[in-house]
Amino acid sequence: MSVAIGVVAAAVTAGAVVPAFRGTAGPVTRLVRLPEKWNRGVGLVNAAELVAIFAVIAASNASGHPEFIPVGICLVVGLHFFPLARLFDQGQYTWTAVLLTAVALVGLAVLAAGTTAETIRTVVGLGAAVVLWASSFHVALRG
């Protein structure tokens, strides 16, 4: 099953990348309006994300519940896309944020159901991968 998923993902990715390199994906006509000092804002958002991820890992391990790590990291990464949507003037990042936050909440529900840590990692990891891949696919095609 994982090989089939990999083959499909590679084919769809090639379907986005090849037109982009050939210049046949169509011109990007939308002007991006970056706020003043946007790069400083991006640096602050990413630094906060990094600190929050380390805090999730430390708190989960200190409390003896490392199974919360994937859920917490997914939530932190999802939340950090909200300000990035504005800073990069990429509205689709709001959907990335919403969907990653939803994946984290699904992971929390799976965790509350008493499943194994491996199942939680699979649900959250695969869900986050699909969301991030779809987001990058959209940006590659639409700009």
Side-chain angles (χ1 to χ4, degrees), residues 125-135:
L126 186 59
V130 168
V131 169
L132 291 169
W133 180 84
S135 179

Side-chain angles (χ1 to χ4, degrees), residues 18-143:
V18 169
F21 279 112
R22 286 187 181 162
T24 58
V28 176
T29 57
R30 184 177 77 85
L31 294 176
V32 175
R33 299 189 200 306
L34 299 175
E36 192 173 319
K37 298 184 181 178
W38 67 272
N39 53 347
R40 183 175 188 275
V42 170
L44 290 173
V45 168
N46 288 336
E49 176 194 29
L50 184 64
V51 168
I53 286 172
F54 279 118
V56 163
I57 293 168
S60 297
N61 285 331
S63 68
H65 295 287
E67 64 274 10
F68 280 98
I69 293 173
V71 173
I73 290 175
C74 186
L75 181 62
V76 168
V77 172
L79 293 175
H80 109 287
F81 271 98
F82 282 111
L84 290 183
R86 183 184 58 78
L87 290 168
F88 284 128
D89 190 25
Q90 295 287 343
Q92 65 268 39
Y93 286 169
T94 300
W95 287 106
T96 304
V98 168
L99 292 173
L100 283 174
T101 302
V103 168
L105 293 175
V106 168
L108 190 61
V110 170
L111 180 63
T115 61
T116 66
E118 183 176 312
T119 301
I120 295 161
R121 285 191 305 269
T122 301
V123 168
V124 173
L126 186 59
V130 168
V131 169
L132 291 169
W133 180 84
S135 179
S136 64
F137 184 78
H138 185 267
V139 170
L141 290 180
R142 300 284 185 199

